[in-house]
Amino acid sequence: MLERHCILVGMPGVGKTTIGRRLANRLGADFVDLDAVIETEIGCPIRTYFEHQGEAAFRDIEARLLERALAAESPCVFSTGGGAVLRASNRRAMHAGGTVMYLRSSPEHLARRLRNDTKRPLLQVGDPLKKLKELYAQRDPLYREAAHYVVETQRGSVATVVGHIAMQLDLIRA
Ligand code: S3P
């Protein structure tokens, strides 16, 4: 049983959606993928929206829908977009609104996982590893600020990471 929202934050490609879905399943809670909620609201892929409206407009929608999602009464597992921590107000809302888990992985590992990605607008560049290193340098402190716990994902399987988070949530309750 989940007592508060569990919010997964971390870099693009770290596995927030896969891990979130499995975790929710294990806990018998609802799973909400905030990127999917945004795509339903804007009616097109995030990449298309970025191209036409720009990143600032996307961040406004992201902040608004994050706030709305966190207001849900029954505790859910949320996966967030990798840039959801960029605004201080989002970081505060997540930290106050549930238990925040930072799923951490290195830029090198993420670059290997994302080598064939075409969906993530920020990574459609000549040197995705360089971009991931820049994003990591900027965001790692922000993920840590938003989070209650840091979960290393690099060496464990999805099942191991899910087990680790579930155990951590149990410990909080105990
Ligand atoms: C973004 C990450 C994406 C999505 C958008 C912006 C980012 O989500 O929200 O493309 O700024 O890192 P994922 O973390 O699921 O890739």
Side-chain angles (χ1 to χ4, degrees):
M1 247 279 288
L2 196 58
E3 290 188 344
R4 308 182 71 204
H5 294 318
C6 175
I7 305 155
L8 306 182
V9 300
M11 289 281 287
V14 75
K16 296 172 298 246
T17 304
T18 309
I19 290 167
R21 190 171 282 123
R22 291 268 288 269
L23 177 69
N25 200 17
R26 174 168 170 154
L27 301 173
D30 284 335
F31 170 66
V32 180
D33 174 358
L34 278 164
D35 275 346
V37 171
I38 295 173
E39 289 193 330
T40 304
E41 176 91 3
I42 62 186
C44 67
I46 289 174
R47 181 177 173 182
T48 312
Y49 192 85
F50 251 69
E51 277 162 17
H52 293 103
Q53 313 292 330
E55 181 171 347
F58 171 79
R59 298 294 173 206
D60 285 343
I61 295 178
E62 182 176 53
R64 182 160 55 76
L65 296 183
L66 175 67
E67 194 184 338
R68 193 172 80 189
L70 290 175
E73 260 184 39
S74 74
C76 301
V77 176
F78 289 103
S79 68
T80 58
V85 294
L86 290 173
R87 291 193 177 174
S89 51
N90 288 356
R91 297 196 293 279
R92 281 194 297 269
M94 289 191 275
H95 196 86
T99 307
V100 184
M101 302 281 177
Y102 168 25
L103 306 186
R104 201 213 69 91
S105 190
S106 69
E108 290 76 10
H109 185 76
L110 295 167
R112 280 196 294 279
R113 287 182 57 128
L114 291 171
R115 62 187 177 277
N116 297 318
D117 181 77
T118 55
K119 284 198 321 217
R120 292 175 170 88
L122 294 176
L123 298 179
Q124 307 313 306
V125 292
D127 188 348
L129 174 58
K130 180 163 174 267
K131 183 71 188 179
L132 283 164
K133 284 182 175 167
E134 288 165 9
L135 291 175
Y136 183 84
Q138 177 197 23
R139 293 176 178 181
D140 177 67
L142 305 181
Y143 295 131
R144 288 175 191 275
E145 185 189 314
H148 297 89
Y149 299 96
V150 180
V151 182
E152 289 296 329
T153 65
Q154 211 158 301
R155 278 175 293 275
S157 64
V158 170
T160 313
V161 175
V162 168
H164 185 83
I165 298 173
M167 197 176 71
Q168 197 61 255
L169 293 171
D170 262 354
L171 287 173
I172 300 169
R173 264 209 311 271

